[in-house]
Amino acid sequence: MSDTAPVPRALYDVTALTGQPPETSGAVWRLAESGRQLDANVVHLPPLQRVDTHTEPELDVLLLVVAGRGTLGTTKGSEPLGEGRLIWLPHGSTRSVTAGAEGLSYLTVHRRRPGMRIGHHPPGEQPTAARD
């Protein structure tokens, strides 16, 4: 086996979320290892804060609730979120996330977006900005 072969390793302890100040909002951890094919984030929302309604056109996302409670809003209604709940957010779906009274922390995982590239695009086709 090569010395340069990737090695599995622990990255983050979600139980550390219990020590987060309640007003902390946003990504409290991001997967940042080089050469990865996935993106992952642990997101914390303080009590009653929300991620506004949006649509992800390109990527399927898995959302795993790791602490707290909340609600997933969809075009078909709302879905309760609680610790251990695993949700599939298919690309093209419209959703919002609202934290409950004690806040909400969740892990998201999706395919990594390609980085910006300098190059040519086919004639007649407009270049698009890639997001990382």
Side-chain angles (χ1 to χ4, degrees):
M1 184 170 220
S2 169
D3 286 343
T4 60
V7 177
R9 64 187 183 278
L11 297 173
Y12 184 74
D13 181 357
V14 296
T15 60
L17 290 168
T18 58
Q20 290 291 326
E23 67 278 356
T24 300
S25 180
V28 295
W29 174 83
R30 295 178 193 277
L31 183 62
E33 280 48 42
S34 64
R36 69 190 189 278
Q37 295 177 347
L38 294 175
D39 272 334
N41 302 287
V42 174
V43 177
H44 176 72
L45 296 177
L48 308 178
Q49 190 175 44
R50 68 181 271 134
V51 174
D52 288 330
T53 303
H54 63 286
T55 303
E56 169 50 63
E58 299 175 15
L59 301 173
D60 288 356
V61 177
L62 284 177
L63 182 151
L64 175 64
V65 178
V66 295
R69 297 184 112 27
T71 305
L72 172 71
T74 74
T75 56
K76 300 284 187 187
S78 61
E79 182 81 25
L81 297 174
E83 193 169 328
R85 194 82 190 258
L86 179 62
I87 305 288
W88 172 48
L89 304 171
H91 69 281
S93 66
T94 300
R95 65 277 196 146
S96 64
V97 177
T98 305
E102 68 273 8
L104 178 69
S105 296
Y106 56 89
L107 168 72
T108 62
V109 180
H110 58 79
R111 179 177 39 90
R112 186 174 183 203
R113 296 178 193 276
M116 296 290 284
R117 295 195 178 111
I118 298 174
H120 299 285
H121 53 86
E125 188 177 298
Q126 293 296 317
T128 58
R131 295 169 283 172
D132 192 14

